[in-house]
Amino acid sequence: MKCKITILCLVIFLGTFLQQALAQNLSVTGSVKNKGTGESLAGATILVEGSATSTLTDANGRFAISAAKGSVLVISYTGMTTLRYTVTGSTTGEIQLEESATTNLGEVIVVGYGVQRVTKVSGAISTIRAADIDKLKPVRTEEILQGRASGVNVIQSGSPGSKPTVLIRGIPSFSGTDPVVIIDGVPQTLTDFNSINPIDIESISVLKDAATTAIYGVKGGNGVIVVTTKSGRKNQKAEITVSSNYGVQQVMNTIGVLNATEYAAMINEGSVTAGGNIIFPNLSTVGVGTNWQNEVFKNATFQTHTISARGGSDKMSYFLSAGYLNQGGIVGGNDKSRFNRGNFTANLSFNLTSKLTFIVNTTGVLLDSKGVQENSFNSVLGSALNFDPTVSVLNTVPNTVGKYGFSNLLLSEIFNPLTKLENTYNKNIGNKLYGKFELQYEVIKNLTLTSRFGYTKYDGNAKGFTPLVFYGPLNVENSMNADGSQVAGRFNTVSHEKTSNFNYTWETFGNYNFTVANDHNFETVLGVSVAKTSGNAAGASRQDVPFNSWEFADFTAATGNNTATNSNAVAGYYYQYFRRNLSYFTRVNYDYQSKYLASFTARRDGSYAFGSDNKFANFLSGSLGWVASSEDFFKSDFIDYLKIRGSYGSIGNENVSPQFVGIVTGGPSYGPTANSNGYTFGDVFYPGSTVGSAANNALRWEKQLQMNVGFDITFYKNKFSLSADYFEKKVDGLLFTPSASLYLGTVPIPTANIGSTSSKGMDVTLSYNETIGKSFRLNTSLTFTTSENLVTATNSDGTAKILGGGYFNGQSQTVTVFEKGFTPGYFYGYRTNGLFQTFDEITKAPTQAGAQPGDIRFMDMNNDGAITAADQTKIGDPFPDFTLGWNVGLEYKNFDFSVFTYASVGNDVYRAYERNANYSNKSRDVLGRWTGPGTTNDVRTPRYSFTDANSNIRVSERYVEDGSFVKIKNLQLGYTFPERMTKNVFSRLRIYAQVRNAFTFTKYTGFDPEISGGILDTGVDRGAYPQARTFSFGLDIKL
Amino acid sequence: MKKITIKITTLFLFTLLLGSCKKWVDYNPREDFRITELDYLQSETDYRTMAISVYTPLQWINQVVPIGDIASDNAVSGGENASDVLSLQQIDDYTHTPVNSALTEIWQSAYEGINRANYMTQYKAANVAGKAIDFAGKEALYGEVYFIRAYYYFTLVKMFGDVPLFVEKRLSLTESKSLQRTAKAEVYKQIEIDLNAAIAVLPAVQQQKGRITKYAAQALLGKVFLYQNKFDAAATVLESVITANAFTLPSNFAATFLAAGENGPESVFEIQYSNTSPYYNWPGYNRGQGNYSAQQCGIRGLNGTAAMPYAAGWSTNLPTQNLAAAYEAGDQRKAVTVLDIEAYKTANPSFNITYQVAPYKNTGLYNQKYLPRKGETSGQLELNYTNNFRIIRFAEVLLMAAEAYNRSTTPNDTKARDYLNRVRQRAFGDLLHNSSASGIALKQVIWDERRLELGMEGDRFFDLVRTGQAATKITGFVTGKHEVFPIPQLEVSISGLTQNNLY
């Protein structure tokens, strides 16, 4: 032991010799402990403030450091509150650190290719800690970011395990807006968040501005989420954690639709108004019928179990973890809709020699999921909302197959949702292996070379089965007859798909930190990165599965063979893809006495996809910071810390594919331009060949210029901290098809980088910590995120409109547009001005074909005296004006309580789940319909008729609702057993009860106003899978 | 010592990595198993396969045929209502503007064909990789390419007048917006060059039906001469087609327009359609292997027994009563050209015909020559009708020759009358209806005969313009404006081409 201390002292002495050779220092010794557990903390950092002198505690939590009397030691440890200690003598005694929930000033945060002390950061970064993640027990990591990381907008989906919309600082494009995800230094994608167990995460840094993301160059344009998983520490006693959570999920609310009698009355009215017959002559026999929503929503299980161990010896450290998660789906229950995941992680670090460290992180993941048709009028939920309520749940008609009832009115598209559910068969199995091999070599002190090989290997195996189904004797979409026989020409089909991909990144870089003339501190990094992603997929399908059953649904069992009249009996396909990148990067962080901060980053990126004229791109950024509170003249009892920051730089997005002059051979083209091939001689078709694609050698990355200014302040005895950032960014080079001369022919014009958007906004985080007395602690934090977005250019003549948000309500409609001069993905349609009450009003109004009293009065936006397609305009915006997250944590003695509230304000929802077929069920709103002059002027309730010459169902404000909401996302009450009760068995035992999605406050009339999707699908509610309310109990044990 | 070695090696490797592997980001489409132009035109097969696709856009410009009649006194646009097939409605009503989808499609498709032909001629001597690929029949193959390029330019020049002319290469994106319009006379000069080059190398007979022959090239050259009022040259070249005795006029006029009559004894040049490569692509509705215009002119809501031959369609391109009335009694061509559906229904009670009266601009008549027929389509039924367009029939060669002789510098009315009467004899099945006119009167007779013989085959409007009769025959026709169609607005706004007069 003594020897070790001697060596430590020697190292410290040598390390500081150059800089501080003449300083008269004390040798200070002491020890560091966890205040909560009393455990010695090995590997805690002790830093002499304002110098480069630092050391780590040994296995027993002891340290020795050379420091002048009166200087300040900063003692920090990941996950603990940093402590400052002023040196008064040669020993500090026992220093106790507390576990922390939020970012603290002394902590280091993980940035690209290195770590940085929070106080020295001059860019914009949001950080989340393990403590927050452990409390939420989320399925996917993004859930933690929602409302907790300012500047990040997360719109969740209810479907088990599905990927939410994640936008970091505004909407740059109509596609490709996912941020990059870096897990332990290895690039992955947002999709990969389905396979990391959030409990294994130590910290998450969200890099938001150019200063922090430019080191990722052409990948950094949408922001970067840097995830660091847990690892063991050297000489750490084994710490075993078991955490278990079991709960039940249920639907939060259902939508008011007509009961059977109301439905029958409305159908009668609709038919008679349109000049038809009474459909239900005797309403008194109809009754209340079936509420199909109650039939399809099931309570479903939710459980997570994780066991992990961390620790280390002299030469190695480890983190081992095994986890299981099961999220059943509330639509149809666990059998039909679910997400299951098993994780196995080993993060190992070995000191091969005193200077050479070898790190191996490996995670294996097993994914097993099933899904139901979602988000359309004919999905399971869409059918539940629109299906005939007069039908009984079970089929009672003699001599017909089928377990569930059928309608004789709805004869296509919308089916009994239970029949749909029963005939939904699929499974998705995935195996993923990801991790890294990393060698770190300390060439000389403070110069470390790192070579890291990171990889992700995924193999997916999916199977789907479409059985023959009988939907009712009159149904036109039957593939099975009432007697169970096959409808001629219809087949059941089993389809298989195997996907495989392998991505790797090999990075080699050097970090060198040095100090010049005591006060000028430099942290530098220089490196190179080589990356490749590749994958392939093969699929096969076959008809005629024996016994029409899932049990025999396999290619090998199916018996279909292609014939002259049926070329789809056996089918298959294969494709492959790859991408390659090469990058060089460097960064210099500089600070003078930790007071004046500067950072400069450069990255040079090459991509296989860029045109030959633009193989490489350069990305530069810089930032400056000033810690005003460190100035001598800054004397404030109120403000403890104040830093002002600013950054500017460029980053990019590589959403391009290589272009080349290709020759296509064969027959007709099914592309949008139908640049077909081949010709007929006599009656025989001969395939041909022609130039089928063109190249744009100037093709390049999408370029972003981003500016950020902000400040961090802590005040009132370090109890309050506030970080605020304002940003502006301009995205250039979005891919659009330029307008080209028609005499070039019909070869598709290659896309070019001609679109642009701009965004500006603010991210604010405010937190407050208070301890009252000995036993009451409060910590609360509030985040605020806002951005304004504008499309500033599209194609060369500015006329391009990218349409999206397609849905069907009797007509094929699109509701969202990406267009110059507007916010991205805004809702586009007719504005409304009440209902026509009389014929007189119609004659006086602008010409509106087909209008009758009781129909919607649309607005003549261009004042040409007629309602035409040209009158369509902006009628809503699916993205919020701002979002708020509010976390409150209370601790009283052994009890802890936390509430997390998330609010999204100003987001509109387009209600697109109503099919509007004559016999489809309707919203209860229809009961308040227009029935004569003066009855109502509400555009949501026009007159009701089977015929709709006015097209009241066209895309209009009728279907736009304010989707602003406040959700209590998480409520948790926990109790930690006193140490005296458990210490013989556990070092810590906590039990808790949790409610997720406890309450939603909204005016929206659908299931859930939080509707995720791409930029062009967000906020379009086609009957989206609602998020479930989950009640659960859990326990966390430390052995 | 050892440690130092490790250090130095590490540093060395590190620097080495930084400087190397730029090739990593090069890209070769072969890595994606994609054929590029560098890989192609390496063999006779490549050349022959690529020549096939030079033909392809011929099928896409099918709207030239209906427009040729709708723009004239032969037909009306029809359709479901005033806004259905708006592009054709406006042409019918003479309210057409530079924004016209049908005209834009013809323009762009014809230029795709030209670019495809140019690509072939660009790499005739050597392929993209610079290697010469020679094979037997290469010259004859290029004869087809020259003909088709001439046909595309002829279509453009007769529709739009002065048009951008380029023959050196397929244009790439960098040549966008680089061209202006070339004078009509220059374009015609190039058409003649291409056709003469084709005539020099093409065989008189092709093994595959529908491939371009020497006679097709000569007949088209004759037509091109007529359009330029070069009657002497026209007479010479057309005479050589006639004296070759390769074609005859079958006595049954109707047979020529049935599926069985395709590429028959009087067929000089037909644009081929088939249903053997079924097409489903609505966004590219007229770019498949089928004849979209057949579906267009069908009778709405038509139903009947299995024996009733016709299939339903969209009641577009309806022949006028004026055209029907132009036929003399006994002319077998009337019933073949116009179908009076009500009369047909009455005459064939066993068919149990029901149909929807054409909802807009109904004439009661339908384009019998190209009506959709049952069993002649596949895939997406609307898009795959097999009806070939009879672009140049031998009857037209005779009528063109007649006109050329009549209008030559030294007219030969005997020959002109002889050729005219061969056509009339087939029409009436006797010699009693022979014409005996001469001089200017004969010229008018020939012109009128063209309308009767070629009715609903897409020639009428262009004939009226060519012969200066358009203003007197067509309601709404403005002399000095409507001789040509407007240049598509997109091309004017994107490429900066000048617009035609008064549009």
Side-chain angles (χ1 to χ4, degrees), chain A residues 623-639:
Chain A
S623 63
L624 294 170
W626 176 41
V627 184
S629 53
S630 296
E631 294 289 354
D632 294 339
F633 59 78
F634 192 96
K635 295 282 180 211
S636 170
D637 292 337
F638 183 66
I639 295 173

Side-chain angles (χ1 to χ4, degrees), chain B residues 455-498:
Chain B
M456 304 311 289
E457 291 180 54
D459 263 280
R460 177 66 172 167
F461 168 78
F462 302 103
D463 277 339
L464 289 178
V465 169
R466 175 175 70 83
T467 59
Q469 304 176 89
T472 55
K473 301 275 187 186
I474 304 170
T475 319
F477 187 94
V478 175
T479 308
K481 174 182 181 183
H482 287 132
E483 289 80 4
V484 284
F485 292 100
I487 304 289
Q489 182 57 40
L490 277 174
E491 197 71 306
V492 171
S493 50
I494 294 170
S495 306
L497 298 192
T498 56

Side-chain angles (χ1 to χ4, degrees), chain B residues 164-236:
Chain B
L165 175 70
F166 55 98
V167 291
E168 309 75 36
K169 60 175 190 170
R170 176 182 260 287
L171 299 183
S172 68
L173 194 60
T174 47
E175 278 100 16
S176 176
K177 311 170 192 183
S178 65
L179 297 180
Q180 282 303 314
R181 297 169 71 187
T182 304
K184 198 161 94 172
E186 291 297 309
V187 182
Y188 271 122
K189 200 182 279 176
Q190 177 60 41
I191 293 170
E192 289 176 19
I193 290 171
D194 271 340
L195 288 175
N196 280 315
I199 291 165
V201 296
L202 279 170
V205 181
Q206 291 273 23
Q207 284 302 310
Q208 288 174 326
K209 284 177 179 173
R211 278 207 186 262
I212 307 301
T213 62
K214 181 179 176 179
Y215 303 128
Q218 287 173 327
L220 182 61
L221 183 59
K223 194 163 183 170
V224 166
F225 282 142
L226 274 195
Y227 271 68
Q228 299 176 83
N229 293 333
K230 293 179 176 174
F231 301 111
D232 297 353
T236 312

Side-chain angles (χ1 to χ4, degrees), chain A residues 558-745:
Chain A
T559 55
N561 282 311
N562 285 346
T563 62
T565 53
N566 178 14
S567 58
N568 295 323
V570 186
Y573 62 88
Y574 174 84
Y575 63 84
Q576 55 81 38
Y577 60 88
F578 69 91
R579 296 187 82 87
R580 284 192 304 255
N581 290 82
L582 170 66
S583 315
Y584 311 100
F585 52 87
T586 185
R587 179 178 56 215
V588 180
N589 289 339
Y590 164 78
D591 70 85
Y592 176 74
Q593 291 184 340
S594 298
K595 193 160 32 172
Y596 306 108
L597 316 170
S599 172
F600 170 78
T601 308
R603 177 146 172 152
R604 181 166 171 78
D605 262 321
S607 167
Y608 95 122
F610 298 155
S612 52
D613 299 348
N614 282 313
K615 273 290 172 202
F616 281 85
N618 296 324
F619 301 93
L620 304 174
S621 79
S623 63
L624 294 170
W626 176 41
V627 184
S629 53
S630 296
E631 294 289 354
D632 294 339
F633 59 78
F634 192 96
K635 295 282 180 211
S636 170
D637 292 337
F638 183 66
I639 295 173
D640 306 299
Y641 179 80
L642 173 63
K643 178 167 69 183
I644 295 161
R645 302 176 273 111
S647 73
Y648 188 78
S650 67
I651 24 178
N653 260 326
E654 186 203 12
N655 40 16
V656 294
S657 295
Q659 297 179 346
F660 50 87
V661 180
I663 303 289
V664 289
T665 57
S669 156
Y670 291 102
T673 61
N675 188 49
S676 289
N677 256 331
Y679 193 68
T680 294
F681 294 116
D683 288 323
V684 183
F685 174 78
Y686 290 85
S689 64
T690 191
V691 173
S693 61
N696 167 12
N697 290 336
L699 191 71
R700 62 170 172 87
W701 63 103
E702 177 186 307
K703 188 173 185 179
Q704 268 193 31
L705 289 174
Q706 196 176 145
M707 181 278 285
N708 186 81
V709 288
F711 65 88
D712 305 309
I713 184 168
T714 55
F715 54 95
Y716 190 56
K717 297 173 189 162
N718 280 323
K719 285 179 178 169
F720 283 94
S721 73
L722 173 68
S723 280
D725 284 281
Y726 172 80
F727 72 91
E728 280 186 13
K729 69 176 174 185
K730 185 164 165 29
V731 185
D732 251 337
L734 299 183
L735 288 180
F736 274 90
T737 305
S739 315
S741 295
L742 303 183
Y743 52 67
L744 301 184

Side-chain angles (χ1 to χ4, degrees), chain A residues 706-845:
Chain A
Q706 196 176 145
M707 181 278 285
N708 186 81
V709 288
F711 65 88
D712 305 309
I713 184 168
T714 55
F715 54 95
Y716 190 56
K717 297 173 189 162
N718 280 323
K719 285 179 178 169
F720 283 94
S721 73
L722 173 68
S723 280
D725 284 281
Y726 172 80
F727 72 91
E728 280 186 13
K729 69 176 174 185
K730 185 164 165 29
V731 185
D732 251 337
L734 299 183
L735 288 180
F736 274 90
T737 305
S739 315
S741 295
L742 303 183
Y743 52 67
L744 301 184
T746 60
V747 173
I749 303 298
T751 49
N753 310 85
I754 42 186
S756 70
T757 59
S758 68
S759 303
K760 57 188 175 188
M762 263 172 62
D763 325 327
V764 181
T765 307
L766 173 68
S767 56
Y768 171 62
N769 295 294
E770 181 66 89
T771 307
I772 300 166
K774 276 199 165 175
S775 46
F776 185 82
R777 286 169 63 184
L778 162 72
N779 64 72
T780 180
S781 64
L782 187 71
T783 66
F784 172 83
T785 299
T786 180
S787 71
E788 256 178 65
N789 308 284
L790 183 69
V791 181
T792 49
T794 51
N795 60 339
S796 34
D797 55 6
T799 54
K801 270 187 177 182
I802 306 294
L803 300 176
Y807 72 101
F808 188 83
N809 69 343
Q811 297 166 17
S812 282
Q813 318 245 29
T814 59
V815 61
T816 57
V817 183
F818 186 91
E819 185 188 8
K820 185 180 174 179
F822 293 89
T823 58
Y826 75 99
F827 293 153
Y828 177 78
Y830 293 89
R831 295 200 55 193
T832 56
N833 181 18
L835 303 175
F836 285 118
Q837 301 294 330
T838 61
F839 277 108
D840 187 47
E841 282 181 19
I842 296 170
T843 36
K844 284 177 183 156

